[in-house]
Amino acid sequence: MYLSAATNRITVTWGNYGKSYSVGLYLVRQMTSAELLQRLKTIGIKHPELCKALVKEKLRLDPDSEIATTGVRVSLICPLVKMRLSVPCRAETCAHLQCFDAVFYLQMNEKKPTWMCPVCDKPAPYDQLIIDGLLSKILTECEDADEIEYLVDGSWCPIRAEKERSCSPQCPILVLGSSDVNGLLPPPNSNAENGKATADVVDLTLDSSSSEEEEEEDEEEDDDDDGPQPKRRCSYEKGLVSAC
């Protein structure tokens, strides 16, 4: 029915089936989501101390439970639109501490009224909605985190995501080579460019048989010479070997 200058007439008929009936007539006005939000901010805010007491009640040690709950995490992101909460809201009948954004919840139900909690999928009608005063205070104090943790004593601490650490360690370079008589490395190569010593690279692919033949030829030449044979130095040249 709609109010107008014309007369509104209602006719109610029922059959005589031995049952009692009742009829109700309500005069209502459709309210917008903005009006409902303003009304909720006026009469629906729950004091932070009451919310803190609720947190303690949720985390209170159960003597029948073998596992002690030391904290519970609550996201500062609305599960409806995946954005940061502005007006944290939940129903008094909900058993969880997670909130959703009242602005988007009212706008969603204005278009398609379902009044179902997006967290637990249980009925969350308008007259049971509350604004969490403790979480509203936390949102103003914690701007660089998307998640918090409630502790047993009712306090809270922010949970910040750790930055990814780059796993690119620099491998040290070991210089292998023969030392001189005094235990010192030989002087750098005179062909170094820009004042930096250039190290000869050891070719490990050489055939071992060729090196043995060269050693045998050296021994034959040394046998022909008279006099004591000088000490031979290591034939391996200095090279760079990665320690990785």
Side-chain angles (χ1 to χ4, degrees), residues 55 58-59 69-77 96-99 119 135 138 146-152 155-162:
V55 173
K58 294 287 186 183
L59 298 177
T69 304
T70 58
V72 58
R73 292 190 175 188
V74 173
S75 176
L76 303 182
I77 303 299
H96 52 79
L97 297 174
Q98 180 64 50
C99 293
V119 179
L135 196 57
I138 293 174
D146 294 334
E147 191 176 12
I148 64 166
E149 182 177 6
Y150 286 124
L151 304 179
V152 180
S155 60
W156 62 276
C157 61
I159 300 176
R160 297 179 175 87
E162 296 182 357

Side-chain angles (χ1 to χ4, degrees), residues 61-188:
L61 179 62
D62 187 1
D64 298 332
S65 178
E66 298 179 355
I67 301 176
T69 304
T70 58
V72 58
R73 292 190 175 188
V74 173
S75 176
L76 303 182
I77 303 299
C78 176
L80 286 172
V81 293
K82 307 303 180 183
M83 295 176 60
R84 187 176 175 87
L85 293 169
S86 59
V87 184
C89 174
R90 68 172 180 271
E92 287 185 314
T93 56
C94 293
H96 52 79
L97 297 174
Q98 180 64 50
C99 293
F100 48 86
D101 198 296
V103 177
F104 298 107
Y105 183 72
L106 294 176
Q107 290 178 355
M108 180 186 67
N109 284 277
E110 184 180 15
K111 297 179 180 179
K112 185 179 180 181
T114 58
W115 301 104
M116 300 295 291
C117 176
V119 179
C120 61
D121 293 330
K122 293 183 179 180
Y126 176 79
D127 56 354
Q128 294 181 356
L129 297 180
I130 61 169
I131 295 178
D132 193 323
L134 178 59
L135 196 57
S136 298
K137 183 179 179 181
I138 293 174
L139 286 169
T140 59
E141 297 177 358
C142 182
E143 298 181 353
D144 56 348
D146 294 334
E147 191 176 12
I148 64 166
E149 182 177 6
Y150 286 124
L151 304 179
V152 180
D153 58 353
S155 60
W156 62 276
C157 61
I159 300 176
R160 297 179 175 87
E162 296 182 357
K163 295 181 179 180
E164 297 181 358
R165 298 179 180 179
S166 57
C167 300
S168 57
Q170 295 181 355
C171 299
I173 297 177
L174 299 181
V175 179
L176 302 179
S178 60
S179 59
D180 59 0
V181 179
N182 297 327
L184 300 177
L185 292 175

Side-chain angles (χ1 to χ4, degrees), residues 21 65 91 152 177 201 217 227 229:
Y21 299 90
S65 178
V152 180
V201 179
E217 293 177 359
Q229 298 179 358

